Amino acid sequence: MADDKLILITLLVKLGVAASVSSALARSRTFQRLLFAEHRQTRQTLKLMAFFLVPLTLGVWVRLTVRNFLAADLSFETVTLLGLLVGPAWATLGAVVMAIPASIRGEYLAAPFLCGVGLVAGILGTWVEKEEIWSFTPFVDLSLYRWVRRNLRKPKFDRQILLLMLIAGMEVAHVWLASRHPHRLFALDPDALWLQVLVYLCAPMVVAISLKMWNALRIELKLEEQKRLVLEARLDALQRQINPHFLFNTLNSIASLVRFRPDLAREMIVKLANLLRALLKDHDTYVPLREELNFTDDYLDIEVVRFGAEKLRVVKELDERTLDVLVPSILLQPLIENSIKHGLEPRIQGGTITIRSRMQGECVVIEVEDDGVGIVSKPPSALSRPGAGIGMKNVQERLEVLYGNQARFTVVSRPGRGTLVSIAIPADLA
C-alpha cells in the first residue's frame, strides 16, 4: 500500500499526464480526422485505437517497471474513454491490449475488470447523445442551483450526473476489488477518507480533461468548416454575379452581327457555346493562368469580331514562369470586359488591350491595361452606364475572400490616356 502523501502527488501527476497525452494526440491531424469522423471503417477504427493504446499501454509498462511512478497507468480512464467514444466492442479489445503488461506481472484481474468497464462505458456511450458526452464535466456543483430549479419545474433525467456517478462508481468498485486482491489488480488505495474521495473523483476528472481538450478542438474545427462554407457560398454568389453580366454583354455583341454577317454570327455563337460550357461545368476555384488565358481568348475573339481587328488590338506580354501559377477562375475576363466596355468602346478609333504577367518575389503580378478614355469623374446628376464597375468590384471581393490581406488590387487611371488594373497574389504553382 502506497503512502498517502505519495498517492496525493500521484493524483496530481496523473491529471498532468492525462492533459499532456491528450494534448499530444490532439496535435495529430490524422487523430483529429479519425476521432471526429461520423462514420469509421474498421481500418480507420484500428488506427484510432492505435493512437490510444500504443502510448497508454506503454504507460502501464512504466508503472510496473519504474518505482513510485504510478501516474503513468491510465488504463481505467482510457478504457472508459474508448467505451464512450468508440463503442463497447472496441473498448473491450482495448481493455485486453492494455491489460497485457499487467497480466504478465501477475495482475490477472486487470483484463476482466477493464473489459467490464469498457462494456459499461460503451453501453452508456451508445445510449446518450454524443453532444452530452463531449460536454461532460465533473463540476456539476457550479450549476447545481439551476439543475435543481430546472428539474423542479420539469423533471428530467440528467445524463451528465449519471455519467459522473457511473465513472466514480466504477472507480469505487476498482479500489474495493484491488483492496481485496492487492496483487491481482492495481489501484490507488489510501487510508484517509478524504483521500479516498479524491481517488474516486480523479477518474472522472481525467476523463473530463481529455473530453474537454478534444471538444475545444472539435468546436474550433467546426467553426473553421463553417467559415470555409460561408466563404465558398460568398465566392459562389460572386461567381454567379459574373456569369449573367458576361452573358448579357456577349449576346449584345453577337446581336450586332446577325443581320449583316450571319455566318460570322453563327461562328461567334459556337464560341459562346464553348464559353458557356466552360462556365456551367463544375470547375475548381483555382486554375492555372494558362487555362485562364485560354478562356479569355475565346471572349476576346468575339469582341474583336464585333469591334473589328483594326479597332480592338490585343497585346500579351507574359512571363513563361507565370503560366502554371494558380489563379482564381474567371479572374481576367471581367477586367478585360470592363476595359472594352468602359475604356475603348467610347473611343471612336478603339484602342489596345495589353495583358501582362511577371513574377515579383513570392508573388505573381497580373496586369490588364487599356489606352481608352480612363475613369472620368462624373457629377452627381450624370447617368451612370449600366454595369459600370461591377467587374472590377467583383474581382476585388473575390480576392479578399480567397487571399485576405495577401492579395493586392490596384487601379491607376489617367483620364483620356487609359486605365491600368494590377493584381498581385501568392504564386502557388499547379
Side-chain angles (χ1 to χ4, degrees), residues 34 40-50 86 90:
L34 295 173
R40 304 184 196 95
Q41 298 177 353
T42 301
R43 184 178 178 183
Q44 293 174 317
T45 307
L46 287 172
K47 287 183 179 179
L48 178 61
M49 294 286 290
V86 187
W90 291 103

Side-chain angles (χ1 to χ4, degrees), residues 84-380:
L84 294 173
L85 298 177
V86 187
W90 291 103
T92 303
L93 175 61
V96 172
V97 174
M98 295 199 71
I100 290 176
S103 299
I104 293 175
R105 288 299 187 93
E107 297 176 0
Y108 302 121
L109 290 179
F113 176 76
L114 291 178
C115 287
V117 171
L119 285 173
V120 173
I123 292 172
L124 180 64
T126 57
W127 180 51
V128 302
E129 296 290 338
K130 284 296 183 184
E131 288 298 328
E132 292 180 299
I133 295 175
W134 285 118
S135 60
F136 170 67
T137 174
F139 299 109
V140 294
D141 59 307
L142 297 179
S143 59
L144 186 59
Y145 169 75
R146 285 178 294 175
W147 177 81
V148 172
R149 186 177 178 182
R150 182 175 64 249
N151 281 273
L152 285 176
R153 291 180 177 178
K154 187 177 180 181
K156 180 183 177 182
F157 188 74
D158 196 325
R159 295 185 178 90
Q160 287 280 305
I161 293 183
L162 172 64
L163 183 55
L164 172 62
M165 298 293 291
L166 180 65
I167 298 174
M170 289 192 297
E171 180 64 12
V172 170
H174 184 201
V175 174
W176 176 81
L177 190 61
S179 66
R180 297 294 300 270
H181 307 278
H183 300 294
R184 296 293 178 260
L185 182 65
F186 165 74
L188 297 175
D189 185 16
D191 292 327
L193 179 61
W194 65 273
L195 197 52
Q196 288 180 358
V197 174
L198 291 181
V199 170
Y200 301 152
L201 293 179
C202 183
M205 284 289 293
V206 170
V207 173
I209 285 174
S210 300
L211 290 176
K212 283 297 181 184
M213 294 184 68
W214 296 337
N215 188 43
L217 178 63
R218 185 179 71 107
I219 293 174
E220 181 181 346
L221 293 176
K222 275 191 172 183
L223 290 176
E224 289 180 358
E225 178 68 11
Q226 290 176 4
K227 183 179 179 181
R228 184 185 65 82
L229 292 175
V230 169
L231 291 179
E232 285 186 357
R234 183 181 173 195
L235 184 61
D236 184 64
L238 293 171
Q239 186 70 56
R240 292 178 186 277
Q241 185 184 23
I242 289 177
N243 296 348
H245 182 53
F246 164 66
L247 179 61
F248 174 77
N249 289 322
T250 305
L251 287 175
N252 278 342
S253 300
I254 295 176
S256 65
L257 300 171
V258 170
R259 179 176 298 180
F260 303 105
R261 305 178 69 181
D263 291 339
L264 189 54
R266 188 160 48 247
E267 181 182 342
M268 294 301 101
I269 290 173
V270 172
K271 288 185 175 291
L272 177 60
N274 293 335
L275 291 177
L276 292 178
R277 187 179 298 110
L279 287 171
L280 294 176
K281 74 175 183 178
D282 292 334
H283 51 72
D284 296 330
T285 303
Y286 302 93
V287 297
L289 179 59
R290 188 191 312 274
E291 184 176 329
E292 177 68 12
L293 291 169
N294 291 337
F295 176 82
T296 59
D297 284 344
D298 287 334
Y299 170 76
L300 283 169
D301 286 344
I302 296 174
E303 293 294 68
V304 167
V305 169
R306 185 170 74 91
F307 276 88
E310 71 285 352
K311 295 188 65 176
L312 177 58
R313 296 169 295 278
V314 180
V315 177
K316 294 182 180 179
E317 300 173 2
L318 305 174
D319 186 339
E320 287 290 333
R321 297 174 299 169
T322 66
L323 297 182
D324 291 324
V325 172
L326 293 177
V327 300
S329 60
I330 317 181
L331 176 72
L332 298 180
Q333 184 273 328
L335 302 180
I336 295 172
E337 178 183 7
N338 192 79
S339 293
I340 294 174
K341 296 292 292 183
H342 309 297
L344 301 183
E345 189 174 353
R347 293 183 62 183
I348 298 176
Q349 69 272 27
T352 302
I353 298 287
T354 303
I355 303 173
R356 303 186 187 92
S357 69
R358 66 179 184 274
M359 299 298 299
Q360 190 175 80
E362 299 296 324
C363 295
V364 58
V365 178
I366 304 171
E367 296 177 344
V368 176
E369 184 177 14
D370 66 76
D371 55 0
V373 297
I375 299 176
V376 181
S377 299
K378 297 181 180 180

